[in-house]
Amino acid sequence: MSLHQVKYCNKYDLSFLVQSRGNGWADTFHLGNCGFLIDISGLNKISFNSNKTQATIQGGALVQDMINAAFGNNTRFATPTCNCLGYLGAFLGGGITREMGLYGAGVDQIVSVNLVTASGQALQVDQTHNPDLWYAIRGAGANFGIVTSAIIKAYPIPQALNIAWEGAVTFADEKLESLIQAIHDLDLKPHMEIDFLFSTSGPPTYTPMITAIPFFLGNASAAEAAFAPILKVGPTSNGATELPYTEWGAFTASFCEKGERKPVYGVSLARQGLDAEIWRSVYDEYKGFVAAYPEAANSTILAEYYPIQKQVAIGSATSSYPFRDIPVHVAVIPLYANSSLDAAANAYGSRVRDLLRATDGLARNST
Ligand SMILES: Cc1cc2nc3c(=O)[nH]c(=O)nc-3n(C[C@H](O)[C@H](O)[C@H](O)COP(=O)(O)OP(=O)(O)OC[C@H]3O[C@@H](n4cnc5c(N)ncnc54)[C@H](O)[C@@H]3O)c2cc1C
């Protein structure tokens, strides 16, 4: 399908862009006055090999569908946090998943792909076929062609064991420094991950609030022991609970909502970037922004802290993905309806990014 569309666009010298699930954050997707958007969301078939250790997926497969298919087959994929993503849209750029500590990066899950190049060639790409492209697509994939299908690793696990403990654990404002220090000091084992979030309570008061979202692949008692230093900080509420694989993404469903304006500012940090003093300044910036612009009260700042041992051990020589040594990913997400707020939102996002960058602990700018 994509092959014919690419050939047609080449024949008539038309620009084209592939779109899967439409969550791309880049603001450089311009087709000019006349161009083709090649929608691959209908390419969404998923099938497993006999022992459920691999799946063949089409280029537009949706994360939610991958989870449901795997659960039904007593197996599991490395899974991004939000259900609305195109699985390959996420993984061709690197791929951050809840199971990163066990399975490595998203690019490490790809066994082989079928690719249509910009000039309309259909190629098999893997370790032995087109090895240069194989290196390139796993990290910079969206630049090298349309992946029409891929073979992806799967990890057999009975449904009853395919559980995780996660949920919202909220903290009072004055606990922020203790929470950040506890996250910084946490022994982040491969089956753990933790996010923290600045948001507001919603209507009617829109009070700023601090939430941690611990995630543990396993049962509640093991999870509570692993996250004891976080729970010891003294939350105001603890909604973390055991959930089956199919429900892990429900918690982040609001991030998937389309519409409104979201000029996201991303920053990556080393563990040292979990600096209590800086995060107090970031929270002050957040509170200042939502107080000054009540129409942007659903804005958030989300930080995700991952165990990176496995993806580091796999090694950067294996693919073009350059961020294996980075454990913390932050998204500053101003959210509002009216473009008149763009300048203020961009100034705020850029201020927060500069604050975090100043103490990111990284040898190079990884924004
Ligand atoms: C709410 C939200 C949550 C997120 N959570 C995570 C997360 O947990 N982990 C993570 O790694 N990332 C995450 N991201 C980032 C996300 O992975 C990227 O934005 C990704 O590019 C989205 O893919 P898509 O198919 O949904 O979007 P699209 O906009 O359709 O695609 C994004 C880019 O990938 C290209 N592309 C998509 N499919 C193919 C294909 N088959 N072949 C070639 N090129 C293709 C498109 O041309 C485009 O350039 C998140 C983003 C959002 C908005």
Side-chain angles (χ1 to χ4, degrees):
M1 181 71 166
S2 306
L3 178 62
H4 299 304
Q5 290 158 332
V6 170
K7 282 189 165 162
Y8 180 88
C9 290
N10 277 321
K11 184 170 173 191
Y12 294 102
D13 198 22
L14 295 165
S15 49
F16 57 92
L17 175 71
V18 60
Q19 184 176 68
S20 177
R21 300 296 171 163
N23 296 290
W25 274 340
D27 56 7
T28 49
F29 292 156
H30 300 302
L31 283 170
N33 290 334
C34 181
F36 262 75
L37 189 71
I38 302 178
D39 177 356
I40 58 166
S41 60
L43 293 176
N44 54 17
K45 289 206 178 71
I46 301 158
S47 59
F48 292 87
N49 66 354
S50 56
N51 60 6
K52 321 291 180 193
T53 54
Q54 289 184 351
T56 300
I57 66 167
Q58 286 189 311
L62 179 70
V63 167
Q64 173 80 75
D65 293 346
M66 299 274 296
I67 293 170
N68 291 340
F71 193 67
N73 279 280
N74 288 301
T75 193
R76 178 157 80 194
F77 295 112
T79 320
T81 310
C82 288
N83 290 341
C84 54
L85 307 179
Y87 197 77
L88 289 169
F91 278 18
L92 294 172
I96 295 170
T97 76
R98 312 305 284 276
E99 303 90 343
M100 180 193 285
L102 295 180
Y103 309 149
V107 290
D108 303 326
Q109 311 310 312
I110 307 174
V111 178
S112 163
V113 307
N114 288 314
L115 180 89
V116 172
T117 66
S119 59
Q121 255 188 309
L123 300 175
Q124 180 179 346
V125 181
D126 55 34
Q127 215 158 1
T128 47
H129 303 88
N130 303 292
D132 286 354
L133 263 178
W134 176 238
Y135 174 84
I137 58 158
R138 288 170 308 123
N143 298 312
F144 289 94
I146 303 175
V147 175
T148 52
S149 68
I151 297 177
I152 300 291
K153 291 179 190 166
Y155 303 89
I157 181 167
Q159 274 186 4
L161 297 180
N162 200 354
I163 53 164
W165 177 88
E166 76 162 336
V169 184
T170 61
F171 292 86
D173 275 22
E174 65 272 16
K175 299 278 188 179
L176 180 62
E177 283 81 359
S178 318
L179 174 65
I180 299 295
Q181 194 60 48
I183 294 174
H184 173 277
D185 295 345
L186 193 65
D187 182 11
L188 199 64
K189 295 253 163 53
H191 38 287
M192 296 164 73
E193 190 250 308
I194 184 164
D195 300 347
F196 61 94
L197 177 71
F198 300 152
S199 62
T200 71
S201 59
T205 59
Y206 293 99
T207 309
M209 55 188 286
I210 301 164
T211 305
I213 310 160
F215 178 89
F216 185 92
L217 288 159
N219 65 32
S221 58
E224 280 161 8
F227 281 106
I230 305 296
L231 301 176
K232 241 168 102 180
V233 172
T236 42
S237 70
N238 179 356
T241 184
E242 271 178 31
L243 294 171
Y245 186 36
T246 44
E247 287 177 36
W248 298 354
F251 188 76
T252 50
S254 63
F255 286 101
C256 283
E257 278 167 23
K258 305 257 191 225
E260 305 212 80
R261 302 178 81 78
K262 300 170 192 153
V264 176
Y265 280 70
V267 200
S268 296
L269 311 174
R271 180 167 161 225
Q272 300 95 292
L274 295 167
D275 176 300
E277 204 178 314
I278 289 292
W279 278 94
R280 171 61 68 185
S281 305
V282 169
Y283 189 44
D284 287 345
E285 280 284 352
Y286 174 77
K287 288 196 291 187
F289 180 68
V290 294
Y293 303 102
E295 62 271 49
N298 288 326
S299 300
T300 52
I301 296 180
L302 172 67
E304 302 179 346
Y305 179 30
Y306 291 91
I308 54 172
Q309 307 89 319
K310 177 77 180 181
Q311 66 173 22
V312 167
I314 289 172
S316 50
T318 56
S319 72
S320 61
Y321 179 53
F323 301 126
R324 289 179 183 272
D325 56 341
I326 292 183
V328 184
H329 301 277
V330 183
V332 184
I333 314 174
L335 177 61
Y336 51 93
N338 197 319
S339 62
S340 63
L341 232 67
D342 283 352
N346 282 305
Y348 152 75
S350 161
R351 267 196 318 276
V352 173
R353 186 173 60 185
D354 288 349
L355 263 174
L356 289 169
R357 241 191 214 165
T359 52
D360 63 11
L362 297 172
R364 61 188 193 283
N365 180 359
S366 299
T367 298

